[in-house]
């Protein structure tokens, strides 16, 4: 089936934590770790978090702060009352502005390339009610049709109802839609439960045995999609 619509997770796909802000906040509390060290630790901490048992007994907000503690530990930082105080400060910022405010340089070009292929793009994100404003601030909404935030919709991935809402809101058909996310137990499992094909963005190549399509970057996703769209009539062979 040709692809017409791409659902995109936000965190871990389009936007990432502001590691510089996190490093600076920790430093004010007397904990010194570089932004680069935190960023390097993130994929491994996320893979540890991405287990069905953890996903089933937590919600997105609860996983978020466990995620940071796992990153700190991977980066060699001892988690204690001091790091907890730093996280509390960061949480306050996140509730107002969204800490996942770093957008890599390749994101907008990839979104524009997908739009140039004639694809409809929809953000489907577990978030805290601020993702639409953040997407507007970063220019993402110039490329996507709509932004769905789990906090606003009162349901979050992997619950298939969130994907059903996204299908209804965007007018997309499930058979011609794919969902791209970075967590297997949240994005792949959730999308499949809604009858939607899933693609795992696995930048660090940590899921070699995953039973789904994997891409290492958004550029690789664009290349994949070029082979999954309906060719225009102009590109079809001319009848003799």
């Amino acid at each position: 089936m040709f692809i017409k619509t791409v659902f995109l997770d936000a965190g871990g796909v389009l936007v990432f934590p502001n590691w510089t802000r996190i490093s600076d906040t920790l430093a004010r509390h007397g904990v010194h770790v570089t932004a680069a060290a935190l960023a390097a630790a993130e994929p491994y901490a996320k893979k540890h978090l991405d287990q069905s048992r953890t996903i089933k007994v937590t919600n997105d907000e609860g996983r978020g702060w466990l995620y940071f503690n796992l990153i700190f530990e991977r980066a060699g930082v001892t988690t204690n009352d001091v790091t907890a105080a730093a996280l509390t400060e960061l949480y306050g910022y996140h509730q107002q502005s969204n800490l996942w405010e770093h957008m890599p340089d390749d994101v907008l070009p990839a979104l524009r390339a997908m739009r140039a292929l004639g694809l409809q793009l929809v953000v489907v994100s577990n978030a805290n009610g601020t993702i639409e404003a953040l997407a507007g601030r970063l220019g993402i909404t110039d490329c996507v049709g709509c932004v769905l935030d789990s906090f606003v919709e009162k349901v979050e991935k992997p619950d298939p109802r969130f994907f059903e809402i996204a299908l209804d809101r965007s007018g997309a058909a499930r058979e011609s839609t794919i969902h791209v996310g970075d967590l297997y137990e949240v994005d792949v499992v959730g999308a499949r439960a809604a009858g939607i094909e899933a693609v795992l963005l696995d930048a660090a190549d940590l899921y070699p045995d995953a039973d789904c399509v994997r891409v290492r970057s958004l550029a690789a996703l664009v290349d994949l999609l070029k082979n999954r769209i309906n060719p225009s009539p102009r590109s079809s062979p001319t009848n003799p």
Side-chain angles (χ1 to χ4, degrees), residues 129-207:
T130 64
I131 197 66
E132 187 169 14
L134 175 69
R137 174 157 60 96
L138 297 178
I140 292 171
T141 49
D142 294 341
C143 301
V144 302
C146 55
V147 176
L148 287 92
D149 184 316
S150 63
F151 182 86
V152 175
E153 304 302 335
K154 308 304 180 188
V155 62
E156 64 181 43
K157 299 173 294 182
D159 193 321
R161 290 177 296 168
F162 194 15
F163 293 95
E164 297 289 348
I165 291 170
L167 290 169
D168 181 67
R169 196 75 51 80
S170 64
R174 74 184 74 245
E175 62 272 13
S176 59
T177 298
I178 64 168
H179 173 68
V180 182
D182 66 321
L183 288 172
Y184 183 92
E185 294 293 342
V186 173
D187 294 295
V188 176
V189 171
R192 284 178 171 173
I196 296 171
E197 181 183 350
V199 174
L200 185 66
L201 179 59
D202 180 17
D205 197 23
L206 298 180
Y207 294 80

Side-chain angles (χ1 to χ4, degrees), residues 12 16-17 19 37-47 67 71 74 182:
F16 296 81
W19 301 117
L38 293 170
E42 190 269 352
Y44 299 92
K46 184 166 59 179
K47 176 68 186 300
Y67 158 87
I71 291 170
R74 177 81 189 190
D182 66 321

Side-chain angles (χ1 to χ4, degrees), residues 16-91:
F16 296 81
N18 184 335
W19 301 117
T20 298
R21 180 179 294 279
I22 295 167
S23 176
D24 290 347
T25 300
L26 287 167
R28 286 198 299 275
H29 289 263
V31 178
H32 299 282
V33 59
T34 66
L38 293 170
E42 190 269 352
Y44 299 92
K46 184 166 59 179
K47 176 68 186 300
H48 179 81
L49 183 67
D50 189 12
Q51 300 173 0
S52 58
R53 182 180 63 179
T54 303
I55 299 302
K56 289 176 181 176
V57 299
T58 59
N59 62 11
D60 185 67
E61 182 177 4
R63 287 192 296 273
W65 304 110
L66 173 59
Y67 158 87
F68 280 115
N69 280 324
L70 289 170
I71 291 170
F72 294 165
E73 291 171 2
R74 177 81 189 190
V77 174
T78 301
T79 56
N80 50 31
D81 290 345
V82 175
T83 55
L87 281 178
T88 297
E89 182 179 333
L90 290 165
Y91 180 75

